[in-house]
Amino acid sequence: MERVQNDQILKLIVEDFIETAEPVGSQTLLIKHNLPCSSATIRNIMASLEKEGLIEKPHQSAGRVPSAKGYKYYLQRLKESNNTYEVDDEFKKEFSLILNKRSKTVEDVMEKSCLILSEMTNLATVVLGPEANQDDLASIQVIPLSKKSLTAIIVTSRGYVENKTFVLDSNTEVDDVKTVVEILNKRLIGTPIEEISSKLDSLKPLVTEMVGERTNMIMEAFTEAFLKFAKKRFETYGAGKLVELPEYMNDKGKLKDVIDLLGNVDKLQEQIDDLDDVDINLNDDSDTAIVTTNVNINGKSTRRLAVVGPRRMNYRKILASLDYIAKTLESYYAQEDLEDEDE
């Protein structure tokens, strides 16, 4: 019975702190939630929770806030309880608008999903694409922008798209890039993405012989693009929203920690890779949390979605929203596959 009472008070402290960003006191709990016990009983329970390391007292405050250990305990109980959060209708409406636009890449859909999620939560969102060793080159296409600039669109066998914009020097023409791309398409389609950079090196003499020395810059640009492309694909959205959160407005050190994490691809990659399909990472040494889920595209490719922000985030809302996005997109792309088979 005591454990049940303690868990209930911890849950209220965590959820009140998530809502208000203010330390929670016994009197506040008693009045706000109309609890059937005295303020002294609540103080005793809070003292017990503090002794367990589940809550802590901030500097110069009479209230208490959840500790990293307290959040982890709360989240474990949240996963065990089927205490679901209903995704709001506005979010569903915005999300359905994305899928109603038929001409779009997977990347467009994932980007807009992240932007909507960031707007809804006021947190940063991240999308991580499939590993390069899952992909082969499907095509390189060229779209001229002007006489001296163009965009090359790289498409993989699993539908991943990457753009590379070229601004040409005075010795190079758009037609030179088109010729190089024709050669690359003939020689490289079907090649694993992770092998393309080395194959580009071996093709340089052939391209130089056919087009001329002026193509060296073009080949170097493609080599740079594929080196970047061969890494796990990472895009971050809404990082600027974190500045508006109370914990980061009042503590520039905490803000620097989370911005540095979002800017450090390898470190963020490592932390996300350590998580399961649907999982949460709470950093013990910083006020940062990561919530992730996988989105399966046609059963062939996986995108990883993550929400990044302070420990004080609405986990019920975020977990439910990520679950809704994942299930909706998986159903959507499965339906597209069936439609393709029927045609």
Side-chain angles (χ1 to χ4, degrees):
M1 184 65 181
E2 181 181 339
R3 183 71 264 168
V4 173
Q5 280 187 317
N6 286 12
D7 286 357
Q8 178 62 19
I9 295 299
L10 176 63
K11 177 179 181 293
L12 295 177
I13 292 172
V14 171
E15 293 180 357
D16 281 4
F17 183 64
I18 286 171
E19 180 186 348
T20 67
E22 294 290 338
V24 181
S26 58
Q27 196 65 23
T28 300
L29 289 173
L30 182 67
I31 296 171
K32 181 176 181 179
H33 301 286
N34 193 26
L35 298 175
C37 58
S38 67
S39 180
T41 299
I42 298 173
R43 284 197 299 272
N44 288 336
I45 293 173
M46 291 176 72
S48 176
L49 293 171
E50 190 170 4
K51 189 175 180 180
E52 291 181 75
L54 298 174
I55 61 174
E56 55 195 16
K57 182 178 180 179
H59 183 61
Q60 294 182 336
S61 172
R64 301 293 185 273
V65 300
S67 64
K69 182 180 178 182
Y71 276 118
K72 289 175 183 177
Y73 186 87
Y74 164 81
L75 289 167
Q76 186 59 42
R77 294 297 177 272
L78 185 63
K79 285 184 176 183
E80 291 170 358
S81 66
N82 293 312
N83 192 0
T84 57
Y85 183 99
E86 181 63 30
V87 177
D88 63 71
D89 291 338
E90 185 62 28
F91 177 73
K92 291 179 180 179
K93 179 182 176 183
E94 290 290 328
F95 194 68
S96 68
L97 291 175
I98 298 173
L99 303 182
N100 288 336
K101 296 178 181 178
R102 302 293 297 180
S103 57
K104 57 200 168 301
T105 64
V106 173
E107 279 62 49
D108 289 336
V109 172
M110 300 309 294
E111 175 185 355
K112 289 179 174 59
S113 300
C114 282
L115 288 170
I116 290 174
L117 189 56
S118 180
E119 285 292 327
M120 185 190 75
T121 61
N122 286 320
L123 299 170
T125 54
V126 175
V127 60
L128 173 61
E131 295 183 46
N133 60 17
Q134 298 178 346
D135 271 347
D136 300 332
L137 178 65
S139 71
I140 306 172
Q141 303 166 27
V142 173
I143 299 176
L145 302 175
S146 69
K147 289 183 179 181
K148 284 295 180 182
S149 65
L150 54 84
T151 294
I153 302 173
I154 302 166
V155 183
T156 75
S157 57
R158 293 181 179 269
Y160 193 85
V161 179
E162 181 77 16
N163 298 331
K164 176 68 178 178
T165 299
F166 293 83
V167 178
L168 307 177
D169 60 26
S170 58
N171 298 319
T172 312
E173 301 295 332
V174 169
D175 284 345
D176 294 332
V177 182
K178 289 182 178 179
T179 302
V180 171
V181 167
E182 287 175 9
I183 296 170
L184 298 184
N185 275 327
K186 287 179 182 177
R187 301 276 178 162
L188 296 178
I189 286 177
T191 301
I193 295 296
E194 60 186 350
E195 296 177 12
I196 286 188
S197 294
S198 61
K199 291 201 173 185
L200 281 171
D201 286 337
S202 65
L203 283 173
K204 282 180 182 178
L206 173 64
V207 173
T208 300
E209 181 182 340
M210 294 179 68
V211 189
E213 293 284 345
R214 62 185 181 277
T215 59
N216 288 343
M217 181 275 292
I218 301 170
M219 292 295 283
E220 287 174 7
F222 271 114
T223 299
E224 178 186 327
F226 276 107
L227 282 171
K228 175 187 173 185
F229 198 48
K231 296 180 179 179
K232 282 192 174 181
R233 279 72 108 178
F234 229 100
E235 296 293 341
T236 303
Y237 306 91
K241 293 185 173 297
L242 298 175
V243 180
E244 303 167 10
L245 299 178
E247 43 270 273
Y248 295 143
M249 289 178 65
N250 300 326
D251 191 327
K252 300 306 179 187
K254 290 181 179 180
L255 178 62
K256 183 178 183 302
D257 285 344
V258 71
I259 295 299
D260 286 349
L261 175 62
L262 289 168
N264 187 331
V265 173
D266 291 336
K267 186 176 180 181
L268 187 55
Q269 175 79 63
E270 181 183 344
Q271 293 199 19
I272 290 178
D273 280 348
D274 285 341
L275 299 175
D276 294 329
D277 179 0
V278 179
D279 207 352
I280 299 165
N281 177 27
L282 284 166
N283 282 311
D284 290 324
D285 55 351
S286 70
D287 190 357
T288 308
I290 303 172
V291 187
T292 67
T293 193
N294 287 337
V295 180
N296 294 312
I297 309 297
N298 302 331
K300 304 170 186 174
S301 182
T302 300
R303 301 294 191 273
R304 194 79 177 266
L305 287 182
V307 176
V308 181
R311 294 176 190 165
R312 186 193 62 85
M313 63 168 75
N314 190 332
Y315 295 99
R316 289 176 61 218
K317 180 177 182 178
I318 291 165
L319 285 167
S321 301
L322 286 173
D323 181 66
Y324 179 81
I325 290 173
K327 288 178 178 176
T328 303
L329 290 182
E330 286 167 13
S331 174
Y332 171 77
Y333 285 110
Q335 184 62 36
E336 278 206 329
D337 262 4
L338 289 173
E339 290 173 2
D340 291 342
E341 290 174 7
D342 290 340
E343 290 178 358

